[in-house]
């Protein structure tokens, strides 16, 4: 059994299974309801209940139990009937509140010779609402910022996942690799950026990542799987050598489990025993797709790769409004995204 929920003024409809939370069901079906803490404390997810009835689970904050009957805290509310709610939906990255928050390092994993994966946890009463593909800034003690892409999808938001590449002479990445310990407390500003999936398009998708440009693409692809996108997706990951494919099994697993995704790693300085694709990653894309006019293309990685892709793809019919990019610019002591932190 399930209940139907309609949002106003957005006019979207989604279903909630018996016993399922309203916010969880909405996010699973791609409906962008706002939220903050996801535990009933902050009130960011409050909606006007125009029709129907909800209950709150045992253990929910006491304040919710006495809440006005025409107000609904969606992160805790469980429908008991069909509903109509009035809520300002979040439909673009620009509509998500940028927040400054403390976080704690809960895991640090060396993925290969120069990439570390960090998992960050916000305080227990906080969750970060973001779109897949966005990034965060670490705010250093002196006010400088270091930017890294969020590598997980929004539905999996208990922790924030980052892929950090070591850059020689990079002060922050030296610290991450050499000194940072689990339980370290840091300060972040997030979410930032507009490198997000255009879900209303019906065109097939090409993702091209260079190095740790795989991180935001990972989040976008996992989000696409989660919301049930069935459009063809083609992933190209360009690195120098095999050892630079720091999560080699993951995209291969995606390709096995999802018939609409293909994957091609491309090495520019291939190992002697490498039998796969070689050269520059954008060249592999155009070799497979000489006419790109019917695609949406997402590029993430070094500026030289993004610039080369933009020129090559435009020459093969890709319109500018079907081309989305996230260039990691490395500029010492800059506050721009992708600075010397080694993002």
């Amino acid at each position: 059994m399930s209940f139907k929920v309609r949002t106003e003024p957005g006019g979207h409809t989604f279903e909630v299974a018996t016993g399922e939370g309203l916010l969880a069901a909405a996010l699973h079906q791609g409906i962008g309801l706002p939220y903050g803490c996801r535990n009933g404390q902050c009130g960011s997810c409050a909606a006007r209940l125009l029709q129907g009835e909800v209950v709150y689970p045992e253990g929910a904050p006491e304040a919710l139990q006495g809440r006005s009957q025409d107000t609904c805290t969606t992160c805790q509310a469980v429908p008991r009937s069909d509903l109509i709610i009035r809520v300002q939906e979040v439909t673009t990255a620009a509509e998500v509140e940028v927040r400054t928050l403390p976080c704690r390092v809960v895991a640090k994993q060396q993925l290969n010779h120069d990439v570390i994966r960090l998992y960050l946890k916000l305080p227990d009463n906080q969750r970060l609402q973001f779109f897949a593909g966005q990034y965060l800034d670490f705010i250093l003690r002196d006010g400088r910022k270091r930017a890294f892409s969020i590598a997980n999808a929004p539905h999996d938001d208990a922790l924030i996942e980052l892929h950090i590449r070591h850059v020689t002479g990079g002060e922050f990445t030296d610290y991450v690799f050499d000194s940072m310990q689990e339980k370290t407390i840091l300060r972040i500003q997030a979410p930032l950026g507009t490198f997000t999936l255009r879900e209303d398009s019906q065109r097939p998708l090409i993702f091209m990542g260079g190095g740790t440009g795989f991180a935001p693409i990972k989040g976008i692809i996992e989000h696409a799987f989660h919301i049930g996108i069935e459009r063809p997706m083609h992933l190209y990951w360009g690195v120098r050598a095999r050892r630079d494919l720091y999560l080699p099994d993951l995209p291969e697993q995606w390709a096995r489990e999802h018939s609409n995704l293909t994957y091609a790693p491309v090495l520019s300085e291939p190992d002697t025993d490498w039998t796969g694709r070689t050269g520059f990653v954008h060249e592999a894309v155009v070799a497979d797709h000489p006419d790109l006019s019917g695609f949406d293309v997402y590029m993430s990685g070094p500026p030289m790769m993004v610039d080369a892709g933009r020129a090559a793809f435009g020459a093969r019919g890709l319109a500018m409004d079907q081309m989305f990019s996230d260039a990691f610019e490395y500029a010492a002591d800059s506050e721009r995204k992708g600075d010397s932190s080694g993002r």
Side-chain angles (χ1 to χ4, degrees):
M1 182 178 176
S2 63
F3 300 110
K4 290 186 177 180
V5 179
R6 190 173 84 239
T7 66
E8 296 292 349
H12 292 112
T13 301
F14 61 98
E15 293 192 353
V16 186
T18 301
E20 185 178 17
L22 185 57
L23 176 64
L27 296 179
H28 180 73
Q29 293 167 70
I31 307 298
L33 300 188
Y35 66 89
C37 66
R38 293 189 73 169
N39 62 18
Q41 299 285 353
C42 73
S44 297
C45 68
R48 181 87 177 272
L49 187 59
L50 301 179
Q51 182 175 308
E53 182 182 2
V54 301
V55 295
Y56 295 100
E58 184 178 351
E62 290 184 9
L64 299 185
Q65 309 299 340
R67 180 163 287 238
S68 170
Q69 292 185 354
D70 65 356
T71 302
C72 168
T73 302
T74 64
C75 74
Q76 298 291 308
V78 177
R80 293 187 65 178
S81 68
D82 292 345
L83 305 177
I84 301 175
I85 61 173
R86 181 174 295 279
V87 62
Q88 187 61 50
E89 294 180 48
V90 178
T91 58
T92 68
E95 296 172 354
V96 180
E97 179 186 1
V98 178
R99 305 159 69 198
T100 300
L101 297 161
C103 64
R104 176 166 48 89
V105 177
V106 296
K108 174 181 170 182
Q109 301 174 349
Q110 186 92 32
L111 296 179
N112 72 350
H113 65 106
D114 70 348
V115 176
I116 274 178
R117 173 160 57 186
L118 290 185
Y119 286 105
L120 310 176
K121 188 178 187 307
L122 299 183
D124 289 341
N125 64 344
Q126 298 289 340
R127 289 289 181 96
L128 180 68
Q129 183 169 22
F130 64 96
F131 279 73
Q134 290 191 286
Y135 70 96
L136 61 77
D137 274 341
F138 284 115
I139 304 175
L140 308 186
R141 291 181 182 274
D142 60 6
R144 288 178 297 159
K145 297 177 181 179
R146 294 295 183 261
F148 296 91
S149 292
I150 299 171
N152 51 300
H155 67 273
D156 183 22
D157 68 348
L159 302 175
I160 300 171
E161 177 184 350
L162 306 177
H163 302 167
I164 299 181
R165 183 174 72 87
H166 186 260
V167 174
T168 302
E171 177 184 342
F172 184 74
T173 60
D174 282 348
Y175 165 65
V176 171
F177 275 69
D178 299 336
S179 306
M180 180 180 285
Q181 302 293 318
E182 293 182 2
K183 299 184 179 181
T184 295
I185 302 297
L186 300 163
R187 195 158 59 108
I188 63 171
Q189 188 175 61
L192 301 164
T194 59
F195 185 66
T196 61
L197 183 64
R198 275 57 177 180
E199 297 177 22
D200 56 349
S201 172
Q202 295 304 309
R203 289 181 288 268
L205 297 153
I206 291 175
F207 298 101
M208 183 178 76
T212 49
F214 175 71
I217 287 173
K218 171 183 176 292
I220 291 173
I221 289 176
E222 291 178 337
H223 173 66
F225 291 150
H226 181 72
I227 63 174
I229 285 180
E230 297 180 350
R231 286 182 277 162
M233 296 188 285
H234 308 279
L235 169 61
Y236 296 82
W237 189 3
V239 296
R240 288 191 177 90
R242 182 190 282 114
R243 70 174 187 165
D244 298 311
L245 297 167
Y246 56 84
L247 284 173
D249 297 334
L250 180 60
E252 293 179 357
Q253 177 184 339
W254 290 341
R256 288 194 305 270
E257 295 178 351
H258 300 272
S259 60
N260 62 324
L261 182 131
T262 64
Y263 167 56
V266 183
L267 306 189
S268 61
E269 300 173 9
D271 308 74
T272 55
D273 61 343
W274 178 255
T275 59
R277 307 290 289 273
T278 62
F280 294 119
V281 64
H282 71 278
E283 295 173 341
V285 174
V286 298
D288 291 349
H289 308 281
D291 180 2
L292 288 165
S293 60
F295 289 84
D296 287 341
V297 176
Y298 292 77
M299 303 175 284
S300 178
M304 287 184 62
M305 181 208 74
V306 172
D307 290 344
R310 187 178 291 117
F313 302 159
R316 287 157 178 81
L318 184 66
M320 287 297 295
D321 62 358
Q322 295 167 220
M323 194 182 315
F324 311 99
S325 61
D326 185 17
F328 294 4
E329 300 178 15
Y330 305 108
D333 295 326
S334 166
E335 293 188 356
R336 293 178 298 170
K337 188 165 74 65
D339 59 12
S340 61
S341 60
R343 238 201 55 180

